[in-house]
Amino acid sequence: MTTVTGPTAVTGAVGTAHTRLEGVDKVTGAARYAAEVPFAELAHGWLVLSTVARGRISAVEADPVLAMPGVLTVLHHANAPRIQVDFAGLLGRPDPVVEVFQHDRVPYFGWPVALVVAETSEQAREAAEALVVRYVEEPHDVEFLAGRPGTYTPDNPEAAVEKGDIEGSLAASAVRVDARYTTPEEHHSAMEPHAATARWDGGRLEVFDSNQGSRWVADDLARLFSLDAASVRVRSDHIGGAFGAKGVRPHQVCAVMAATVLHRPVRVVLTRRQTFSLIGYRSPTAHEVRLGADADGRLRAFEHETQNLTSTVSEFVEYSANVGRVMYDAEAHRTVHQVVALDVPTPTWMRAPGEAPGSFAVESALDELAEKCGLDPIELRARNEPVVGPVSGLPFSTRDVLGCFREGARRFGWADRDPRPGVRRDGRWLLGTGTAASTYPSGVLPSTAAVTAEADGTFTVRISAADVGTGARTALALVAADALEVASDRVQVHIGDSDFGSAWVAGGSAGTRSWAWAVMAAARELREQLVPGGSIPPEGITARSDTAELVGALAKKERHSFGAQFAEVAVDVTTGEVRVRRMLGIFAAGRIVNPLTARSQFIGGMTWGISMALHEEAVRDPASGGHVAPDLAGYHIAANADVPLIEVDWVDDPDPDDPVGIKGIGEIGIVGAAAAIANAVWHATGVRHRHLPIRPDRVLAAGAVPGPPGGPSA
């Protein structure tokens, strides 16, 4: 036994830059991802997706495929195990796409219709491509247009919020903006594909998966297959990106089905093209923003109506109008969400769901209002800075939007900006600068954790967290080190295992905050159990926490991270090409646990903002109902050559109601970035671009030439 010597009085790990704990394993290949874990007798499944957008399966001609080399089985609606889908899990009812092979209906192009399992991945793919599936096709509708027939307001209290007299306040306003904005369908495109391996081990189902919450996936799989929750274990050690897409999806269900039928481990890996229909995406959105203000720029009316598409099998709302409920107050305030159900896959959460497209519309409209009022865009925002939540009336936990703008303006050189559009030129390039505000909710959800004092003097943290590339392991080690008052190198962190108990998912910018609270609570409990001069048995001493009661006792407040985005662009008047030359983001996002990985998170979000503003656009063919070129050749994202110098920093902004002071940083980097770029393009050219992405053809069609204030728009 080891004697407890007491804390070493080493504190201050939180807030100190620290390299990733798993960094060496990742660069040397020792880190195993979901598709890399070796198994004996491993079989491989390959999904077959529908080639029609609506109809019924009339035949699956499996016999010729079963005769092909290595093929073990073909699962489809006529022979697959039955599953239970009528339940609500941690995040509600799962997308019906996980109801694989339970009926012959095809609700959209790319719906899973069969799984071919073979000895090798190559054999499975060859057989899957040879499988003939016949359909009775029906007419389909996939075209999303603002205000089209069938659009409706969802029946939930978050869909529409209104106060005051919008029409009267607009009529009484000296300055008005009435503009429409759109964003296209966008996809997550994580570097690591979705993959799952399932096996039965001693009567227990074990799944190795790439996901954002191992306990979440385990619980849903247990319900789907009518199993006791304790009989399912999901492990997700390393994840190569997620962004909202890695939840409960068809590949996990298919792997479990096949493992159950074949009595051997089965792995299912999605291809890049398959992810375009199977894992969700960001819906295209349409926005109408109406603003009314006094001559001095103070808002009297704020209205934001937004629309998105959803599938015919499940309703998903992209809450894009929520951004205005937090950012700007007015005597009359109206925000409405509407959806239309089409023959398309169900959208899902995608980095900064709601706020990313919503901020493009709102922050572009604010820039237009500033232009009409003859005000600097930052000054306009300062004049409309609310004291309490504009809709809720609740106090803010902290809010330092203006501090972000002041620091950002100083560093960016905003004071030297000539507000006139189209006056700066560098050869054939027109130059412009733009800015926008950022915000994203700061949530905390109940989680459990365990911290063990080991006999060798180290400490082990166990929590069902997920590190989706954010550095969560390292952040939690720093939090635990400070709570235990030991050096961080004495702390080991084990995550990504559903056996560690319930914990919130890696999503909604609430992961690290929720997990850190649970880790800190367990660590403090452990310190109380350790008696200086006492001994630690070989099995160690463990303390556990459950933050449900602590989280439930939090006072109601508006809890959000905030920020200010700045961008400088160059527009080629000959080709219409837009180049971002530099970006700066200043954020008020709570206490920063690890500055090294936090900076990467902010830069990653801002880089995605460049991609959103200038490149990303999934195009659906109305004739087939499927995508045009659903791969990284046809779906353009910002590459290294598109990404300029991006600078990031933050102002001091700890949340006083959080034991560590954390708010959340995962989403906010993308919020407002596209608007800042679009506002900079207007400043460069005098042309407003209200439809993303700002492609060269759109720039040329609009005329990339200097124009007067209030000039043309595209």
Side-chain angles (χ1 to χ4, degrees):
M1 293 187 179
T2 298
T3 300
V4 178
T5 59
T8 57
V10 177
T11 59
V14 171
T16 303
H18 199 295
T19 56
R20 296 172 185 265
L21 298 180
E22 77 284 9
V24 172
D25 286 346
K26 284 185 173 178
V27 299
T28 59
R32 297 283 190 179
Y33 289 81
E36 299 175 330
V37 181
F39 292 97
E41 298 186 319
L42 178 65
H44 299 265
W46 200 278
L47 273 164
V48 179
L49 308 185
S50 70
T51 55
V52 303
R54 186 179 177 91
R56 290 187 178 275
I57 302 168
S58 59
V60 178
E61 299 180 1
D63 288 345
V65 167
L66 288 168
M68 294 178 69
V71 175
L72 300 169
T73 189
V74 178
L75 297 179
H76 50 86
H77 71 280
N79 65 359
R82 299 295 94 184
I83 57 176
Q84 169 63 252
V85 298
D86 188 16
F87 68 88
L90 178 67
L91 295 178
R93 187 168 180 173
D95 185 343
V97 72
V98 305
E99 193 178 348
V100 288
F101 318 143
Q102 300 300 293
H103 52 75
D104 63 356
R105 290 290 310 169
V106 174
Y108 52 76
F109 189 104
W111 179 264
V113 295
L115 179 77
V116 177
V117 188
E119 296 287 355
T120 70
S121 177
E122 292 80 8
Q123 290 171 331
R125 178 173 186 170
E126 181 182 11
E129 291 175 350
L131 182 68
V132 174
V133 180
R134 302 194 184 279
Y135 306 92
V136 176
E137 196 167 355
E138 300 171 2
H140 64 265
D141 183 2
V142 300
E143 293 191 84
F144 175 72
L145 299 169
R148 54 157 292 161
T151 299
Y152 66 94
T153 301
D155 183 19
N156 69 70
E158 291 296 310
V161 176
E162 185 171 359
K163 72 172 186 179
D165 177 8
I166 282 288
E167 298 302 334
S169 295
L170 283 168
S173 297
V175 183
R176 288 182 290 274
V177 168
D178 186 345
R180 289 159 180 78
Y181 306 86
T182 65
T183 65
E185 181 179 320
E186 299 168 347
H187 287 260
H188 303 77
S189 303
M191 185 177 294
E192 180 204 12
H194 291 61
T197 305
R199 68 171 179 175
W200 288 94
D201 184 15
R204 195 175 191 217
L205 176 63
E206 194 169 35
V207 179
F208 292 79
D209 183 38
S210 180
N211 62 56
Q212 293 175 238
S214 54
R215 186 69 255 170
W216 166 32
V217 175
D219 286 344
D220 276 17
L221 287 176
R223 291 184 174 97
L224 283 163
F225 288 91
S226 301
L227 300 170
D228 183 82
S231 66
V232 181
R233 183 185 187 187
V234 173
R235 295 170 64 180
S236 189
D237 293 335
H238 300 282
I239 304 109
F243 315 117
K246 287 186 174 175
V248 182
R249 293 292 167 187
H251 64 291
Q252 299 129 325
V253 179
C254 287
V256 175
M257 280 184 173
T260 302
V261 169
L262 296 175
H263 306 289
R264 59 189 287 189
V266 176
R267 175 170 294 155
V268 179
V269 181
L270 300 186
T271 68
R272 180 70 62 188
R273 294 177 72 90
Q274 288 174 341
T275 64
F276 274 74
S277 63
L278 292 180
I279 67 165
Y281 54 97
R282 197 192 314 275
S283 167
T285 63
H287 310 258
E288 181 176 3
V289 180
R290 295 198 298 169
L291 305 177
D294 294 332
D296 63 0
R298 287 179 171 81
L299 285 168
R300 302 189 66 157
F302 181 101
E303 183 180 53
H304 184 186
E305 287 191 0
T306 178
Q307 298 172 10
N308 70 270
L309 62 74
T310 189
S311 70
T312 59
V313 296
S314 182
E315 181 182 270
F316 181 86
V317 183
E318 182 81 13
Y319 285 101
S320 301
N322 281 8
V323 65
R325 297 176 184 176
V326 175
M327 289 304 296
Y328 304 109
D329 200 2
E331 61 189 40
H333 205 288
R334 182 173 181 268
T335 48
V336 179
H337 300 92
Q338 296 182 322
V339 297
V340 59
L342 302 176
D343 300 314
V344 296
T346 310
T348 192
W349 309 285
M350 183 164 157
R351 198 174 197 175
E355 273 73 6
S359 65
F360 166 65
V362 169
E363 293 300 308
S364 295
L366 262 288
D367 205 68
E368 296 197 39
L369 182 64
E371 175 199 350
K372 288 191 172 187
C373 292
L375 288 173
D376 180 271
I378 297 177
E379 175 58 27
L380 177 75
R381 287 168 173 81
R383 293 185 184 186
N384 288 285
E385 180 68 1
V387 177
V388 296
V391 172
S392 69
L394 294 172
F396 290 97
S397 59
T398 64
R399 179 183 174 114
D400 197 8
V401 179
L402 298 185
C404 295
F405 272 114
R406 283 192 297 269
E407 181 63 13
R410 182 186 68 81
R411 296 194 189 191
F412 197 73
W414 188 262
D416 299 328
R417 176 186 193 256
D418 187 329
R420 296 174 298 165
V423 298
R424 289 180 61 208
R425 186 184 286 267
D426 179 9
R428 70 177 192 272
W429 299 91
L430 294 171
L431 306 181
T433 53
T435 190
S438 303
T439 185
Y440 198 78
S442 171
V444 60
L445 284 302
S447 296
T448 63
V451 180
T452 301
E454 307 288 359
D456 62 1
T458 63
F459 297 85
T460 303
V461 175
R462 292 178 177 84
I463 184 170
S464 295
D467 193 332
V468 294
T470 58
R473 273 186 185 84
T474 310
L476 294 178
L478 301 182
V479 169
D482 276 4
L484 294 165
E485 298 186 11
V486 300
S488 60
D489 60 7
R490 290 177 59 188
V491 178
Q492 302 177 67
V493 177
H494 297 294
I495 63 174
D497 190 331
S498 63
D499 276 1
F500 294 159
S502 63
W504 185 241
V505 303
S509 293
T512 300
R513 183 179 184 189
S514 301
W515 306 326
W517 202 332
V519 168
M520 177 169 278
R524 287 175 172 172
E525 173 66 24
L526 179 63
R527 283 179 57 196
E528 292 182 5
Q529 295 182 27
L530 297 179
V531 179
S535 60
I536 299 177
E539 68 273 15
I541 299 175
T542 298
R544 305 181 187 279
S545 68
D546 184 339
T547 62
E549 188 175 341
L550 295 171
V551 170
L554 274 174
K556 289 187 177 181
K557 292 182 181 180
E558 289 281 6
R559 303 179 189 277
H560 306 267
S561 293
F562 296 99
Q565 303 265 13
F566 295 83
E568 179 178 55
V569 305
V571 182
D572 189 322
V573 297
T574 304
T575 67
E577 178 185 9
V578 178
R579 284 278 177 182
V580 179
R581 290 197 167 183
R582 61 187 176 110
M583 289 189 77
L584 169 68
I586 303 292
F587 300 97
R591 190 177 184 196
I592 302 301
V593 177
N594 185 355
L596 185 65
T597 52
R599 194 176 303 276
S600 294
Q601 280 295 290
F602 288 131
I603 291 173
M606 293 170 68
T607 300
W608 203 337
I610 296 172
S611 208
M612 178 181 179
L614 304 180
H615 303 284
E616 294 193 48
E617 182 180 24
V619 178
R620 195 173 288 275
D621 177 10
S624 70
H627 287 105
V628 176
D631 49 43
L632 294 185
Y635 180 76
H636 295 171
I637 60 174
N640 285 345
D642 301 301
V643 182
L645 172 66
I646 297 179
E647 294 182 276
V648 165
D649 212 338
W650 44 84
V651 298
D652 189 41
D653 180 48
D655 186 335
D657 298 325
D658 186 90
V660 187
I662 298 171
K663 281 191 169 183
I665 62 174
E667 260 93 2
I668 195 170
I670 190 177
V671 180
I677 292 167
N679 293 339
V681 171
W682 167 80
H683 187 231
T685 65
V687 178
R688 290 281 179 192
H689 286 269
R690 301 187 180 112
H691 309 286
L692 296 184
I694 307 174
R695 302 188 312 249
D697 62 307
R698 287 176 169 170
V699 174
L700 292 176
V705 295
S713 63

